[in-house]
Amino acid sequence: MANEASESFAGGISTPQKKKSPANEDGDDALVPPLNFATVDGGIFRSGFPDSANFGFLKSLRLRSIICLCPDKYPEANVQFLKANGIMLYQFGIDGSKMHLFVKNTLCSPIDDKYYEQESSTNIPQETIREALKVVLDVRNHPLLIHCKRGKHRTGCLVGCLRRLQQWCLPSILDEYQSLAAGKARESDQRFIELFDISSLKHRPLSFSCSPKNHIGVVQKAVSYPPLEYYHEESL
Amino acid sequence: MANEASESFAGGISTPQKKKSPANEDGDDALVPPLNFATVDGGIFRSGFPDSANFGFLKSLRLRSIICLCPDKYPEANVQFLKANGIMLYQFGIDGSKMHLFVKNTLCSPIDDKYYEQESSTNIPQETIREALKVVLDVRNHPLLIHCKRGKHRTGCLVGCLRRLQQWCLPSILDEYQSLAAGKARESDQRFIELFDISSLKHRPLSFSCSPKNHIGVVQKAVSYPPLEYYHEESL
């Protein structure tokens, strides 16, 4: 116990600070986490889309990988940041907009034969989330950041499915989803999390990197997902 | 990298499940996190007051320590759980109720010489939070759970001060506080976090256990806080 080493965190990374307050009067080295940033587990983080103001903070996390759940081309500034820091990008493009089905309300009278709009979860493909989960579960990708645009829906679905694998009870999974959706929780996402089929994943070893004394010596097999855009030898 | 070990997580701990859904149809081994549970950082967790329904989940975290910020005697069932699992308790009793000051509103006319109720932060003592932070910063206490009653205000203040030490910018610190206060954010807590004096702590090494490749070999000095109620040799 006495030999345990402490680890350096976030030393001397400069990010611009506009407001001078007691919270940052020690200099201009305050770190700016991305929108809706949170720690999911040891070595796994989540957030909204990071921009250049967040690069100092991301650097302090010493990321090895980023999972982006947006389908658009990754911004050039972010690409350069990843290249400079040897961070691998896994992009699983999922459309973030709500999918609306027009459902006939059978309670209406035949005269009011209207179709009503209803949210659908068909825009979150199970298979894409399953592939992303395999990346999350591989400790060789940690520390890892999961993000979409606002870090609420697509990210919330992926983390919710991870919690299923971690055997959290459903009410707690949905509490966490709702808490980070910050008033924008979607019924369809919550249904997706509840119904997601974990059977093909549940025999994979799960990592929990805050328990360094509990290594059980299981080495995960190599991941077969090349980064979609580029790969750099790890410099960390 | 090839030798990196995966760690076992949460195997076979039984907790009662009332509702049978696809999320727990794999058996009755679903884990129930305490109210408002969240990961603060690798090896640091936060929540509301855990009860016996949460013991299976807490066991899966393989905690070494708990910081309780409530002043009341720790419940006997929780004491027994800590004893059985070799978890050390650090209790820093802080009154959780809002302290109200009656402040004269100087904008009133002399005829309406009324006193107005205003929240005060005097019920969160800086020195107590500072002592609790020293326990949080000592990696020998990790994995560690910080809790109060609902995991919102006292816990939010302590985590907010930790974020100050981690050099997060103030708006992000307050976003996190508000997110986990779930609509019950207190102005007084946010002022406390902003004004908290970190000068005596900022030269301590900070830990970030998700970055195992960045050990710098700094060993923290022994913690001088005996547990308030009992101590067990660590069995982990």
Side-chain angles (χ1 to χ4, degrees):
Chain A
M1 194 165 114
N3 290 329
E4 271 198 47
S6 166
E7 295 149 17
S8 172
F9 173 74
I13 293 137
S14 292
T15 46
Q17 276 301 293
K18 291 183 186 82
K19 190 185 158 206
K20 203 78 177 169
S21 78
N24 55 40
E25 67 190 4
D26 309 311
D28 57 354
D29 53 1
L31 299 167
V32 185
L35 182 74
N36 222 10
F37 176 84
T39 301
V40 176
D41 204 316
I44 306 172
F45 309 96
R46 61 181 285 175
S47 73
F49 215 109
D51 65 22
S52 58
N54 312 123
F55 290 167
F57 178 82
L58 294 187
K59 204 169 171 178
S60 79
L61 299 180
R62 299 188 180 84
L63 296 174
R64 277 190 188 156
S65 321
I66 285 182
I67 289 180
C68 171
L69 299 172
C70 301
D72 317 302
K73 190 174 182 301
Y74 216 54
E76 187 53 30
N78 294 48
V79 167
Q80 291 307 320
F81 172 75
L82 299 196
K83 281 185 178 174
N85 292 279
I87 299 168
M88 204 187 282
L89 175 68
Y90 296 95
Q91 193 163 10
F92 297 94
I94 298 170
D95 179 27
S97 57
K98 277 195 243 185
M99 187 78 82
H100 291 87
L101 288 179
F102 289 87
V103 180
K104 187 177 172 182
N105 186 339
T106 53
L107 295 176
C108 292
S109 73
I111 298 166
D112 296 331
D113 191 16
K114 289 180 183 161
Y115 284 77
Y116 287 83
E117 209 174 350
Q118 191 182 62
E119 272 184 55
S120 155
S121 62
T122 50
N123 56 332
I124 306 267
Q126 281 229 11
E127 198 46 37
T128 308
I129 292 290
R130 193 168 291 110
E131 293 304 297
L133 267 177
K134 290 177 188 170
V135 175
V136 174
L137 293 176
D138 193 318
V139 291
R140 290 170 300 186
N141 295 318
H142 297 184
L144 172 147
L145 173 71
I146 302 161
H147 78 79
C148 51
K149 191 173 176 196
R150 284 173 294 192
K152 293 179 176 175
H153 304 116
R154 288 164 282 191
T155 299
C157 285
L158 179 55
V159 172
C161 295
L162 174 67
R163 298 307 191 193
R164 291 272 319 281
L165 274 171
Q166 289 184 311
Q167 297 181 277
W168 283 34
C169 66
L170 190 63
S172 297
I173 295 173
L174 300 183
D175 278 354
E176 182 184 50
Y177 168 86
Q178 289 158 11
S179 164
L180 282 149
K184 300 280 185 187
R186 291 179 182 166
E187 181 58 38
S188 56
D189 287 348
Q190 296 177 76
R191 208 161 47 235
F192 176 86
I193 293 168
E194 181 175 12
L195 300 176
F196 181 77
D197 177 15
I198 58 168
S199 59
S200 68
L201 293 164
K202 66 183 178 183
H203 301 300
R204 288 182 173 246
L206 298 179
S207 68
F208 203 107
S209 51
C210 72
S211 310
K213 290 201 165 184
N214 292 287
H215 282 197
I216 55 165
V218 178
V219 178
Q220 289 193 289
K221 68 177 179 135
V223 176
S224 57
Y225 311 98
L228 296 192
E229 295 189 16
Y230 40 80
Y231 172 77
H232 294 277
E233 285 298 313
E234 287 176 339
S235 62
L236 296 176
Chain B
M1 195 166 112
N3 289 328
E4 271 199 48
S6 166
E7 297 150 17
S8 173
F9 174 77
I13 293 138
S14 291
T15 46
Q17 275 299 293
K18 293 186 183 80
K19 188 185 160 206
K20 202 78 176 170
S21 79
N24 54 39
E25 70 192 0
D26 309 311
D28 58 353
D29 53 359
L31 299 167
V32 185
L35 182 75
N36 222 9
F37 175 83
T39 301
V40 176
D41 204 317
I44 306 172
F45 309 97
R46 62 181 285 177
S47 73
F49 215 109
D51 66 22
S52 59
N54 312 123
F55 290 167
F57 178 82
L58 294 187
K59 204 168 169 177
S60 79
L61 299 180
R62 301 187 179 85
L63 296 174
R64 277 190 188 157
S65 322
I66 285 181
I67 289 180
C68 172
L69 298 172
C70 300
D72 317 302
K73 191 174 180 303
Y74 216 55
E76 187 53 29
N78 294 48
V79 167
Q80 291 307 321
F81 170 75
L82 299 196
K83 281 185 178 177
N85 292 279
I87 299 168
M88 204 187 283
L89 175 67
Y90 296 95
Q91 192 163 11
F92 297 94
I94 298 171
D95 179 27
S97 58
K98 277 195 241 183
M99 186 79 82
H100 290 87
L101 288 180
F102 289 87
V103 180
K104 186 177 173 182
N105 186 338
T106 53
L107 295 176
C108 292
S109 72
I111 297 163
D112 295 329
D113 191 15
K114 289 178 183 166
Y115 284 77
Y116 288 83
E117 208 177 351
Q118 190 182 62
E119 275 184 51
S120 157
S121 64
T122 50
N123 55 331
I124 306 267
Q126 280 230 10
E127 198 47 37
T128 308
I129 292 290
R130 193 168 290 112
E131 293 303 297
L133 267 177
K134 290 177 188 170
V135 175
V136 174
L137 293 177
D138 194 319
V139 291
R140 290 169 301 188
N141 296 319
H142 297 185
L144 171 148
L145 173 70
I146 302 162
H147 79 79
C148 51
K149 191 174 175 193
R150 284 174 293 191
K152 292 180 176 175
H153 303 115
R154 289 165 282 193
T155 298
C157 285
L158 179 54
V159 172
C161 294
L162 175 66
R163 298 307 190 194
R164 291 272 320 280
L165 274 170
Q166 288 184 311
Q167 296 182 275
W168 284 32
C169 67
L170 190 63
S172 297
I173 296 172
L174 300 184
D175 278 354
E176 182 184 50
Y177 168 86
Q178 289 159 11
S179 164
L180 283 149
K184 299 280 186 187
R186 291 179 182 167
E187 180 59 38
S188 56
D189 287 349
Q190 295 176 78
R191 208 161 45 236
F192 176 85
I193 292 168
E194 181 175 13
L195 299 175
F196 181 77
D197 177 15
I198 58 168
S199 58
S200 68
L201 293 164
K202 66 183 178 182
H203 300 299
R204 287 182 176 246
L206 298 180
S207 69
F208 202 105
S209 50
C210 70
S211 308
K213 290 201 167 184
N214 291 286
H215 281 199
I216 55 165
V218 177
V219 178
Q220 289 194 288
K221 68 178 181 135
V223 176
S224 57
Y225 311 97
L228 296 191
E229 295 189 19
Y230 40 79
Y231 173 73
H232 294 277
E233 285 298 313
E234 287 177 337
S235 61
L236 297 179

